[in-house]
Amino acid sequence: MRSGSPRALFVFLGRRLLYSAVVLFGVLVVTFAIVQLVPGDPIRLALGTRFNQDAYDALRAASGLDRPLHEQFVSYVTGALTGDLGVSFRSGQPVTLLLLERLPATISLALVGVLIALLISVPAGIWAGLREGRLADGIVRVTSQFGVSIPDFWMGLLLITLFAGVLGWLPSSGYAPLAEDPAGWARRVILPALTVGLVAAAILTRYIRAAVLEVAHAGFVRTARSKGLAPSVVTGRHIVRNALVPVLTIVGIQLATILSGVIVVEVVFAWPGLGRLVYDAVAARDYALIQGAVLLIAVMFLVVNLVVDVLYAVVDPRIRLS
């Protein structure tokens, strides 16, 4: 059964969806256990200095923690499947609403950041891989090592100093919704996206270079060259296409990582994404919000992994879906 056949694709998707459902159930168990395993009373901890008995009783009833454990778990799983993730201990708003409010900022930052990373890493990695041991290869390796080593918050501060402080071209922080102010969003997304994109580009460049080197020394590439095929055909059809297959996994991981929230970058640039929301929730001991955020992040990882697996067959049709 070839990878390009519709039946193979449906069988593969069915298996992956079943696997994702099992993983998601495990995540539900773990996130449910977060509140149960917290030392002390999570409601009391969440209220802190605002504690009074009426507020305590109301919040405990609203969160369902006054019911037996098995009823709490069934209610939590049922609610999660229907999009009801409970109520925030801190704000009293629905957790689902709070997550959906932050999701557009996170998705836009992730997509622009990964786009920047690919625009830099793909040509740089291929260029270095095809020039092993030369000056160009050395420059790319040193530059990528520098990018991997520098902390993302320091990269962000350097970009702010240069483009916002010295040149004054871009705002140093803030966010504007894309639908309401496209120009304002574009000006504000550049610096945080550059920060995550440059760091991701450094990582991807090293993987792409290694993949190109591995494929370039493969037997089928030597055979293609011995047949007299043009260098551009050998590079494009045989080396680059096959080298991109393992790199897809790393691109997917980088995308999922940014989608899950780059906390430090979001704090530095005052970007209202999931990472900053989780940071605030942890600081406020808002366990209901932490539960919902962890569940959403797990779902995004599963979706990205599924998309990457399907893309394997698109990039290289010889791969059999199993």
Side-chain angles (χ1 to χ4, degrees):
M1 185 163 52
R2 297 182 62 84
S3 63
S5 67
R7 183 166 178 263
L9 182 60
F10 284 128
V11 171
F12 171 73
L13 287 175
R15 290 177 179 174
R16 292 297 298 170
L17 289 172
L18 180 60
Y19 164 77
S20 299
V22 173
V23 174
L24 187 59
F25 180 77
V27 173
L28 283 170
V29 173
V30 172
T31 53
F32 175 76
I34 289 177
V35 173
Q36 308 303 324
L37 298 178
V38 169
D41 188 336
I43 304 297
R44 180 69 178 84
L45 292 172
L47 288 174
T49 57
R50 300 173 298 165
F51 175 81
N52 64 70
Q53 193 59 45
D54 292 337
Y56 175 86
D57 294 338
L59 187 55
R60 187 172 180 83
S63 59
L65 294 178
D66 57 342
R67 291 179 288 175
L69 189 61
H70 67 280
E71 291 185 11
Q72 292 182 40
F73 180 70
V74 172
S75 176
Y76 175 66
V77 173
T78 304
L81 293 176
T82 58
D84 182 7
L85 299 176
V87 178
S88 168
F89 291 174
R90 180 180 59 173
S91 66
Q93 293 181 287
V95 170
T96 303
L97 178 62
L98 293 174
L99 294 174
L100 291 178
E101 287 178 349
R102 300 297 185 100
L103 202 53
T106 294
I107 292 176
S108 62
L109 175 60
L111 293 179
V112 178
V114 169
L115 177 61
I116 291 173
L118 290 175
L119 290 175
I120 296 173
S121 62
V122 171
I126 295 174
W127 191 46
L130 296 175
R131 292 164 176 78
E132 182 183 9
R134 301 181 189 176
L135 178 61
D137 183 29
I139 293 174
V140 171
R141 291 172 62 187
V142 171
T143 305
S144 63
Q145 184 61 47
F146 175 77
V148 171
S149 304
I150 188 171
D152 49 6
F153 77 89
W154 184 247
M155 179 77 76
L157 292 176
L158 288 177
L159 293 176
I160 289 174
T161 302
L162 175 60
F163 291 103
V166 177
L167 300 176
W169 291 351
L170 298 168
S172 60
S173 61
Y175 171 75
L178 175 60
E180 299 177 7
D181 185 6
W185 170 85
R187 295 186 71 245
R188 288 170 174 80
V189 78
I190 292 176
L191 290 184
L194 266 178
T195 301
V196 299
L198 290 175
V199 174
I203 298 172
L204 290 173
T205 298
R206 299 175 68 85
Y207 277 100
I208 294 173
R209 176 187 176 275
V212 169
L213 284 175
E214 182 180 356
V215 175
H217 292 94
F220 67 89
V221 174
R222 290 195 297 268
T223 301
R225 286 171 175 159
S226 67
K227 290 181 177 180
L229 294 179
S232 59
V233 174
V234 175
T235 300
R237 183 178 300 175
H238 296 281
I239 296 179
V240 173
R241 186 171 185 176
N242 287 280
L244 288 180
V245 174
V247 173
L248 278 174
T249 300
I250 309 302
V251 174
I253 292 174
Q254 291 297 315
L255 175 60
T257 300
I258 301 174
L259 281 171
S260 64
V262 189
I263 297 177
V264 176
V265 174
E266 292 182 0
V267 171
V268 168
F269 290 98
W271 192 263
L274 284 177
R276 193 175 178 192
L277 181 66
V278 173
Y279 174 82
D280 294 338
V282 171
R285 296 178 178 178
D286 192 341
Y287 297 109
L289 186 52
I290 296 173
Q291 281 182 313
V294 171
L295 183 60
L296 177 59
I297 290 169
V299 170
M300 290 191 295
F301 262 93
L302 290 173
V303 171
V304 171
N305 285 336
L306 179 62
V307 172
V308 168
D309 286 339
V310 173
L311 286 177
Y312 274 132
V314 176
V315 175
D316 190 349
R318 298 171 302 173
I319 295 178
R320 294 181 180 273
L321 301 177
S322 59

